[in-house]
């Protein structure tokens, strides 16, 4: 049995909410990676990063400022 | 816990709204890039750019005027 | 803050509506391009073009009359 | 401004409705083409063609009778 | 004008309903083909075939019994 | 005509329900195949198999126990 | 017949719920694999893993901590 309450205790978006205002790494389909401070997200996993960097082989390739990433390209969000 | 109010404070579309009437760069799946003034967007991330340019290797390849970009092709929107 | 009114002032479909009965170029995923008079569109960005031409390298490849293009293939709609 | 009435005047499905019982060509993702009499369609652009032919290089490759084409494969519907 | 009644007269799923309990060929994305008796379908075009065969170059490759095919892989359903 | 009752008589998920607690083979996009006892499914065709094996060329490649397969990867479910 | 109760007895998300707080392996489209403790999931199969490792050929490639995986990339979730 899976009472609704139990399921509500721990939802994936709660983990993103805990990461708000913290530095994260976002990996996209096709291999691109961005690091930045998680400013905002929504249920589509659209994400806004502040002080964002595009990464290549773990190094900063481009400094980008505030970026909007469309959710359907995102594979993983992890702590930086 | 993630109270609804907290989540509402900072949503990804707010970042796009702040960028309205400012110059942005839009990157599409497949590598194409457009710069232009962000005129309009919606929840599907359909976007209208005014004074739009198609970019290639950072240089202007084509001047396009006002363009409509369908949201599902968009990977990233960043400040120009 | 993004009051609903502000967001409503300028929506992507408004730009398409302004282009109605004018000549546009529609670019599809995979590289195909069509020009024609924008007769109709809907929220899925399904589009009907009158006096449509298939373009290749900027030149007319085929004259097609009235065509229906399914929205999910469309990348960009721009003035002709 | 885009009053709801204006948008309703000309919708993409109206163009398909006009083509009902007429001969059309349907192009699919991946390049396949079918001609036939447009018998039915719905909002997903699922389509039924009567007296359908599979085309290759503009010539009839296979005679198929009545066929059901799932909408999400369709790129374009045009007059035959 | 497209009165709701007119559109209802002939819908794509009606054609599938007429094919129920008859032998059909189902073509999938990627080229696979199955023949069998159309037992059931739904609005997603999920399909159940009885006495199903996998076909290759028009010949029976595998006898499969009753199979469930998920709709989003289906390109075409035609009479066998 | 397709009365609602007629359509209800035989739905694709009924076939899956009959296969519950029986051994099935699940084929995924990209060619992977799993066999196992059908424990659960839902309208997205998410599937849980018990005593699951990954198959390669018809032979067991890996024994996996209970697995959850996300529906959108599934092409076919057939009796083992 | 498939009474609603019967279908409810065993749903795919129940299997995920049983795996909560246990170690699982998540396989993504494109071949990537992650192991970790299943912290949270939702109906989109968005998943949060604690103490997550990226795996390559069955060995740990990267230690990642808590990660969010977007559901639409997931193929399979199995016990570790």
């Amino acid at each position: 049995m899976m009472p609704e309450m139990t399921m509500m205790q721990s939802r994936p978006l709660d983990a993103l909410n805990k990461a708000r205002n913290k530095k994260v790494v976002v990996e996209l389909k096709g291999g691109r990676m961005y690091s930045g401070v998680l400013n905002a997200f929504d249920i589509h996993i659209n994400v806004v990063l502040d002080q964002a960097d595009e990464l290549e082989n773990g190094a900063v390739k481009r400094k980008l400022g505030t970026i909007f990433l469309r959710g359907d390209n995102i594979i993983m969000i992890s702590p930086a």
Side-chain angles (χ1 to χ4, degrees), chain A residues 58-72:
Chain A
V60 176
K61 185 186 168 190
R62 276 200 296 172
K63 290 194 164 295
L64 290 161
T66 295
I67 62 172
F68 173 96
L69 295 169
R70 197 171 187 270
D72 78 323

Side-chain angles (χ1 to χ4, degrees), chain A residues 8-74:
Chain A
M8 282 328 211
Q9 283 172 353
S10 185
R11 295 168 304 179
L13 296 197
D14 293 341
L16 291 187
N17 208 41
K18 275 189 204 160
R20 208 190 278 268
N21 299 318
K22 298 205 178 75
K23 203 173 172 188
V24 296
V25 173
V26 179
E27 299 198 27
L28 303 190
K29 292 173 188 173
R32 284 211 272 182
M33 294 178 64
Y34 297 91
S35 69
V37 175
L38 183 61
N39 172 301
F41 63 89
D42 61 21
I43 55 164
H44 308 291
I45 320 302
N46 293 320
V47 159
V48 172
L49 299 182
D50 288 331
Q51 306 160 47
D53 292 327
E54 189 175 332
L55 305 178
E56 206 169 57
N57 302 321
V60 176
K61 185 186 168 190
R62 276 200 296 172
K63 290 194 164 295
L64 290 161
T66 295
I67 62 172
F68 173 96
L69 295 169
R70 197 171 187 270
D72 78 323
N73 302 293
I74 291 174

